[in-house]
Amino acid sequence: MGKTADLTAVQKAIIDTLKQEGKTQKEISERIGCSQSAVSRHLSGKSVGRKKCGRKRCTTRRGDRTLRKIVEKDRFQTLGDLRKQWTESGVETSRATVYRRVQEMGYRCRIPQVKPLLNQKQRQKRLTWATEKQHWTVAQWSKVLFSDESKFCMSFGNQGARVWRKTGQREMPKCLKSSVKYPQSVMVWGAMSAAGVGPLCFIKGRVNAASYQEILEHFMLPSAEKLYGDEDFIFQHDLAPAHSAKTTGKWFTDHGITVLNWPANSPDLNPIENLWDIVKRKLRDARPNTLDELKAAIEASWASITPQQCHRLIASMPRRIEAVISAKGFPTKY
């Protein structure tokens, strides 16, 4: 017969109290709902230090430490890879045991956070830029019209390799997946400010300086008119070749528009990236089957973004700046 559950601290206290009142062991056992032998063992002190039952643990502490080192060496290994290396180290066990051990260590299998690769020069430029903008107020950031392009795909199922990490390790360098931009397929251009979002532009093919200036003429200017009216504003875009072309710079000069200097590879500083994430999360539920359905779903999701959401994102700019300074130019969680 298997071992019954141990008495709780409350049950033990009740037994002691009833015994002092002169109750018999049988009366006490009936009162608290346990066996008479359990009452007897407690009163005699024999219930202390009882041996635990159950199957003996098949791995040692030393073996578990070896597994921890294997996991931390490469966070992107599959469960099969972990088991293979653990077996090679001398610990023969099942995949289920491997999974239980990494769970016990606090690791969970998660989709890795994607961050751009930054060299020392790029990190220094980000840090310098953040230091220059450190004292900008939310009111000053509200004058900035943020813009960006984003790629939308028909399929959202395959998200690549997963990573073993613990709670709070999402931004740990070993747990990050490096991203590199390769503009391809159909892209969407959009703009936002503290007042809301502007109209979307669906881009066909690659973007060059000429096509980008068409976007500025037919979509950026209407966005500025909608969100700022006759007020002055500062335009933000990244350092993509079409954006930094001389003819594009001349276009801004001819139109009298001030452009915000921007550090390379800094999507974490651009609040519109959060809006793209919102739209893409909604698309996972919509599951469009055709290009027309995809465009309609994107437009519907974009139109549902409220001015309040945009204002909250713009209000986060001082925190984003401080995060970059604290991280010494490295990518941040935003």
Side-chain angles (χ1 to χ4, degrees):
M1 181 180 293
K3 174 189 148 186
T4 58
D6 291 331
L7 294 172
T8 65
V10 175
Q11 287 176 318
K12 292 176 181 179
I14 295 175
I15 291 174
D16 293 336
T17 301
L18 294 178
K19 183 61 178 178
Q20 292 175 3
E21 293 177 359
K23 301 294 184 181
T24 66
Q25 292 184 5
K26 183 177 181 180
E27 291 173 331
I28 295 173
S29 65
E30 292 174 350
R31 179 77 174 271
I32 66 173
C34 69
S35 66
Q36 187 174 338
S37 60
V39 175
S40 176
R41 283 195 301 272
H42 171 68
L43 294 175
S44 63
K46 293 181 179 179
S47 62
V48 180
R50 295 169 63 203
K51 292 184 178 180
K52 301 293 181 180
C53 64
R55 181 180 176 182
K56 183 179 178 181
R57 190 179 179 90
C58 64
T59 61
T60 64
R61 290 184 180 180
R62 183 176 181 179
D64 293 346
R65 288 195 298 270
T66 301
L67 178 60
R68 184 188 297 275
K69 291 178 181 178
I70 293 171
V71 173
E72 293 181 349
K73 184 179 179 181
D74 182 3
R75 302 296 188 98
F76 290 86
Q77 298 178 88
T78 65
L79 207 56
D81 294 334
L82 294 176
R83 183 194 177 202
K84 181 180 178 181
Q85 290 197 50
W86 208 17
T87 301
E88 291 173 352
S89 71
V91 181
E92 185 69 37
T93 186
S94 66
R95 286 170 59 94
T97 300
V98 176
Y99 181 74
R100 285 196 299 271
R101 294 298 178 269
V102 294
Q103 290 276 313
E104 290 170 3
M105 295 173 190
Y107 294 105
R108 300 294 182 268
C109 191
R110 298 286 186 257
I111 296 172
Q113 182 81 347
V114 179
K115 295 288 184 181
L117 280 173
L118 298 177
N119 56 38
Q120 176 61 38
K121 186 177 180 180
Q122 291 170 328
R123 294 197 300 271
Q124 184 57 50
K125 286 185 176 181
R126 279 166 51 87
L127 182 58
T128 301
W129 183 90
T131 304
E132 292 173 353
K133 303 294 188 291
Q134 187 175 12
H135 300 295
W136 273 37
T137 64
V138 175
Q140 287 175 290
W141 286 114
S142 297
K143 292 291 184 180
V144 179
L145 179 64
F146 290 91
S147 71
D148 190 33
E149 296 90 7
S150 184
K151 183 176 73 173
F152 289 83
C153 303
M154 295 295 295
S155 175
F156 303 93
N158 183 15
Q159 307 212 22
R162 296 198 169 222
V163 62
W164 293 101
R165 68 184 186 215
K166 298 181 180 180
T167 302
Q169 293 184 344
R170 183 180 182 187
E171 305 298 325
M172 181 180 288
K174 287 185 177 180
C175 301
L176 294 176
K177 180 180 178 182
S178 300
S179 67
V180 182
K181 275 192 171 182
Y182 293 109
Q184 58 183 353
S185 300
V186 175
M187 304 288 286
V188 180
W189 179 95
M192 61 88 70
S193 74
V197 298
L200 287 178
C201 172
F202 290 94
I203 305 168
K204 294 182 179 180
R206 296 178 65 87
V207 179
N208 55 30
S211 61
Y212 183 60
Q213 290 161 35
E214 288 292 320
I215 294 172
L216 296 175
E217 188 75 39
H218 299 293
F219 292 92
M220 189 276 283
L221 292 180
S223 296
E225 177 68 25
K226 172 186 174 182
L227 300 172
Y228 291 100
D230 295 329
E231 296 181 7
D232 292 333
F233 69 95
I234 301 172
F235 182 67
Q236 178 278 336
H237 59 184
D238 59 28
L239 301 182
H243 301 178
S244 54
K246 290 183 179 179
T247 55
T248 302
K250 184 177 183 302
W251 186 95
F252 283 110
T253 301
D254 293 342
H255 286 76
I257 297 173
T258 302
V259 178
L260 180 69
N261 66 307
W262 193 254
N265 293 325
S266 298
D268 54 330
L269 287 169
N270 195 343
I272 199 173
E273 294 287 348
N274 298 80
L275 297 187
W276 294 136
D277 287 342
I278 291 173
V279 174
K280 288 177 180 179
R281 283 199 299 271
K282 291 183 177 180
L283 288 182
R284 292 192 187 105
D285 297 329
R287 295 285 177 176
N289 295 313
T290 65
L291 185 59
D292 289 338
E293 289 181 3
L294 177 63
K295 290 181 178 180
I298 293 171
E299 288 182 323
S301 299
W302 186 255
S304 69
I305 295 171
T306 65
Q308 291 76 17
Q309 287 176 293
C310 294
H311 186 271
R312 284 196 296 270
L313 289 173
I314 297 300
S316 72
M317 285 303 298
R319 297 194 298 275
R320 294 171 191 257
I321 298 297
E322 290 298 330
V324 171
I325 294 174
S326 298
K328 300 186 185 302
F330 278 94
T332 61
K333 67 178 181 179
Y334 291 98

